[in-house]
């Protein structure tokens, strides 16, 4: 690989502490790898005395593989994550067994604790509460003083206490506990700390902007007075919910008397994409001043900010454009703020038969009796008047229409025994006046339902036809699904579109498209912005750049808004050739373009 002058100056810098601010696409991983080789060759630092830390197991493995390829052989350099480093420290001291808690176990214990506290877990975001628990631990905060955004602050300390009592009783620890346990071992055993201080003489840390205060304090304990090569970009610090802070980059410069070098050449994105990203991030205050110089010209790429009247229109255009990119052999990604794929986006992907892969499905497959019944009413209203459909909802609410009666009617149909006619139903009801009256009411309701759109029809079924009363009498819980279905009915305004959507989702579920392995064919990658970190695609589409989504509605302070801006910046800088920033602008639905959209213009 050929390195530019900036990269060479970083690789060959003196072995003291160094802070390298490396913008997106600047080749920092390649530089870090070469730095390790140079330290050994130029300064005779043994490989087994060099520690390289990053934040994910995959990144550590990739870096090790890259290093061994460059070095043309194995080495004794330690490549690891912070978690695995602290785990090694604990295992070196402790002989007793302990178990690492899984996310599933965390959620189960949290559910149990919240239910014991008589809190309604259906209205809580459990993953966000786990993030808050993690933040309190990583920042060493007092739970008594912590203001939770997810549960009442006066209940947070008790929840925090009960959660940890339960994990402790089961001898379970999570990754956040590793640094706390290692820290206590060093506090109580100075000789043990000295042993680990002597183990390594030089440390390199990738993605330094993602470090949290506890991790940073441990780095200080082990390496203060020695060499630390920290490479990162404070503009890409997006893990505040884990306790990371962009100002640690600034703190490191002072604590380690570190020189600062910059990698300012962007080899990834075209000029217009780089310029847009820099315009955006310049609105943040807590950052180093830097300029990013793109290698690729503006003519080689495309950057657009696009407004749409509705989310549905936004997804229609976006999906068609992304599909065209696939046909040209481009790598394509749709980056989402949260892990939930909007239903209308899902619908468009399926409708236009666009192959895609997701990190984790966000589809709400509401495949229950309540949904099935509502859809059956809609199907009958749009002409699917089959006996199987009628059988599903004939007595919801009760109309005294028995299964035997419908079987008799089916045999009596003159033209098509699979489809019912009201004439035949009346004829078969004979002298049973109550039955003919109920059939008449049903027919009249269906005729009225035919005139209504999806949302009006949903309310009509619940309130006028009496389906809501039926659910209450049966003790069937439906409130959550009802709210979700109302949101869908506003998106898919015609009954045909709404029923088509669920049919597509049903087929997709049967094919398990969201979980099948990548078979090597070109597919759109759909993932969260957080999950996109460290990756790149030819074309990137960022939908729903609206207030309340990006920035998130929970970002209330200046610091939280700056975190959201960094998150959006990360999303934009994943694009190599083409970047679309999309939003819906609909006053009636209170959909407003994001503050960040205005900053791009």
């Amino acid at each position: 690989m050929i390195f530019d002058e900036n990269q060479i100056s970083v690789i060959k810098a003196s072995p003291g502490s160094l802070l390298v601010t490396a913008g997106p696409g600047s080749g920092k991983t390649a530089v870090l790898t070469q730095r390790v080789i140079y330290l050994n060759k130029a300064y005779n630092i043994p490989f087994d005395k060099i520690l390289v830390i990053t934040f994910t197991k995959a990144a550590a493995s990739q870096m090790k593989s890259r290093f061994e390829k460059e070095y043309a052989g194995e080495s004794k350099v330690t490549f690891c994550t912070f978690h695995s480093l602290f785990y090694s420290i604990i295992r070196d001291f402790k002989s007793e067994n302990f178990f690492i808690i899984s996310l599933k176990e965390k959620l189960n214990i949290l559910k149990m604790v919240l239910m014991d506290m008589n809190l309604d877990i259906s209205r809580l975001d459990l993953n966000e509460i786990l993030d808050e628990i993690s933040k309190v631990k990583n920042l060493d905060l007092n739970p008594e003083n912590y203001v939770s955004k997810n549960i009442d602050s006066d209940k947070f300390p008790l929840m925090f206490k009960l959660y940890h009592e339960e994990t402790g009783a089961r001898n379970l620890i999570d990754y956040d506990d590793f640094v706390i346990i290692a820290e206590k071992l060093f506090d109580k055993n100075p000789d043990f700390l000295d042993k680990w201080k002597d183990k390594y003489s030089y440390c390199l840390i990738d993605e330094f902007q993602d470090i949290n205060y506890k991790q940073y304090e441990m780095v200080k304990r082990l390496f203060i007075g020695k060499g630390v090569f920290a490479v990162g970009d404070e503009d890409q610090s997006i893990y505040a919910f884990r306790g990371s802070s962009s100002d640690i980059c600034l703190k490191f410069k002072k604590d380690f008397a570190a020189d600062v070098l910059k990698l300012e050449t962007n080899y990834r994105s075209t000029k217009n994409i780089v310029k847009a990203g820099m315009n955006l991030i310049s609105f943040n205050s807590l950052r180093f001043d830097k300029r990013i110089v793109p290698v690729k010209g503006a003519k080689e790429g495309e950057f657009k900010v696009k407004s749409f009247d509705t989310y549905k229109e936004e997804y229609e255009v976006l999906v068609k454009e992304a599909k065209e990119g696939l046909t040209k052999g481009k790598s394509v990604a749709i980056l989402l703020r949260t892990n939930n794929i909007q239903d209308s986006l899902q619908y468009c992907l399926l409708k236009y038969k666009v192959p895609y892969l997701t990190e984790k499905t966000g589809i709400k497959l509401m495949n229950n009796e309540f949904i099935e019944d509502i859809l059956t009413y809609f199907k009958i209203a749009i002409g699917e008047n089959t006996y199987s459909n009628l059988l599903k909802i004939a007595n919801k609410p009760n109309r005294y229409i028995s299964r035997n009666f419908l079987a008799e009617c089916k045999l009596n149909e003159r033209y098509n025994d699979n489809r019912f006619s009201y004439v035949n139903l009346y004829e078969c009801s004979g002298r049973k006046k109550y039955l003919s009256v109920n059939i008449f009411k049903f027919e009249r309701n269906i005729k009225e339902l035919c005139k209504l759109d999806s949302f009006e029809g949903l309310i009509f079924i619940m309130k006028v036809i009496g389906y809501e009363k039926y659910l209450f009498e049966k003790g069937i819980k439906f409130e959550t699904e009802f709210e979700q279905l109302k949101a869908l009915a506003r998106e898919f305004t015609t009954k045909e579109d709404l029923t088509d959507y669920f049919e597509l989702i049903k087929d997709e579920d049967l094919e398990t498209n969201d979980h099948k392995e990548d078979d090597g064919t070109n597919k759109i990658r759909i993932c969260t912005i957080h999950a996109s970190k460290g990756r790149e695609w030819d074309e990137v589409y960022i939908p729903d750049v609206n207030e309340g989504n990006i920035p998130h509605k929970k970002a209330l302070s200046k610091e939280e808004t700056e975190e959201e801006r960094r998150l959006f910046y990360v999303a934009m800088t994943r694009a190599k050739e083409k970047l679309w920033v999309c939003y819906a602008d609909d006053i009636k639905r209170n959909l407003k373009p994001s503050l960040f959209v205005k900053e791009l213009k």
Side-chain angles (χ1 to χ4, degrees), residues 521-537:
T521 59
N522 200 13
K523 296 181 177 68
I524 291 176
R525 175 68 68 172
I526 300 175
C527 66
T528 65
I529 299 173
H530 281 102
S532 75
K533 184 83 175 294
R535 300 156 79 175
E536 59 183 39
W537 294 272

Side-chain angles (χ1 to χ4, degrees), residues 169-385:
R170 301 187 191 190
N171 203 24
L172 296 170
I173 65 172
D174 65 19
Y175 292 115
D176 297 324
D177 296 321
F178 287 179
V179 64
I180 297 170
I181 296 170
E183 188 179 50
K184 289 178 179 177
L185 289 175
F186 285 162
D187 286 340
K188 295 177 181 178
N189 305 278
D191 291 343
F192 184 61
L193 171 59
D194 289 340
K195 173 187 174 182
W196 273 86
K197 286 172 74 173
D198 292 339
K199 190 174 179 69
Y200 300 106
S201 58
Y202 201 89
C203 178
L204 300 94
I205 305 174
D206 191 23
E207 302 287 2
F208 189 72
Q209 74 280 348
D210 293 335
I211 196 171
N212 65 44
Y213 279 103
K214 281 200 167 291
Q215 292 165 343
Y216 178 64
E217 288 302 316
M218 288 293 278
V219 170
K220 282 173 64 178
R221 278 192 169 199
L222 293 171
F223 291 99
I224 201 79
K226 294 188 277 188
V228 175
F229 178 92
V231 58
D233 180 8
E234 78 285 356
D235 288 336
Q236 296 184 70
S237 177
I238 59 173
Y239 292 110
F241 64 89
R242 294 180 189 166
S244 68
S245 174
S246 60
D247 67 350
I248 294 179
C249 288
L250 308 176
K251 189 169 169 40
F252 172 81
K253 180 178 180 294
K254 179 181 178 183
D255 291 342
F256 282 82
D259 291 331
V260 178
L261 293 178
K262 300 177 182 180
L263 294 177
E264 298 182 316
T265 303
N266 185 305
Y267 292 94
R268 177 190 298 155
S269 306
T270 56
K271 184 177 180 179
N272 44 6
I273 295 173
V274 170
K275 183 180 178 182
M278 292 308 295
N279 285 345
L280 173 84
I281 203 64
S282 66
F283 284 88
N284 273 11
S285 57
L286 194 62
R287 59 188 297 268
F288 289 107
D289 184 36
K290 62 172 77 73
R291 65 188 185 94
I292 303 296
V293 181
V295 171
K296 301 176 184 176
K299 292 182 180 179
E300 298 176 58
E302 176 184 321
F303 169 67
K304 287 185 178 180
V305 178
K306 296 186 72 68
S307 172
F308 300 90
D309 292 334
T310 64
Y311 281 141
K312 188 178 178 186
E313 180 193 348
E314 175 189 13
Y315 300 141
E316 287 265 352
V317 175
L318 183 153
V319 167
K320 287 179 182 177
E321 189 74 14
K323 184 178 182 180
E324 187 176 327
L326 283 186
T327 62
K328 295 176 181 177
K330 302 293 185 181
S331 58
V332 181
I334 298 174
L335 304 184
L336 308 177
R337 174 61 183 85
T338 67
N339 217 1
N340 288 327
I341 301 174
Q342 290 289 342
D343 300 284
S344 37
L345 171 57
Q346 187 74 32
Y347 174 73
C348 290
L349 288 164
L350 300 175
K351 178 181 176 182
Y352 295 109
K353 295 180 170 52
V354 181
Y356 66 94
L357 286 171
T358 61
E359 306 293 310
K360 177 183 176 184
T361 179
I363 305 173
K364 301 178 284 293
L365 283 180
M366 305 178 285
N367 196 14
N368 59 25
E369 186 178 345
F370 169 75
I371 299 295
E372 287 291 328
D373 290 346
I374 296 295
L375 293 177
T376 301
Y377 269 108
F378 280 173
K379 286 176 182 178
I380 292 174
I382 61 177
E384 295 183 30
N385 54 323

Side-chain angles (χ1 to χ4, degrees), residues 69 102 150 352 370 399 456 481 501 518 545 576 592:
K69 185 178 179 182
S102 67
N150 292 284
Y352 295 109
F370 169 75
R399 299 182 179 91
E456 295 166 339
E481 289 84 355
Y501 165 74
D518 189 348
V545 187
K576 292 160 68 175
K592 297 183 291 185

Side-chain angles (χ1 to χ4, degrees), residues 2-11 262-263 265 267:
I2 299 173
F3 294 96
D4 64 34
E5 288 184 12
N6 269 3
Q7 291 171 327
I8 291 171
S9 68
V10 170
I11 292 168
K262 300 177 182 180
L263 294 177
T265 303
Y267 292 94

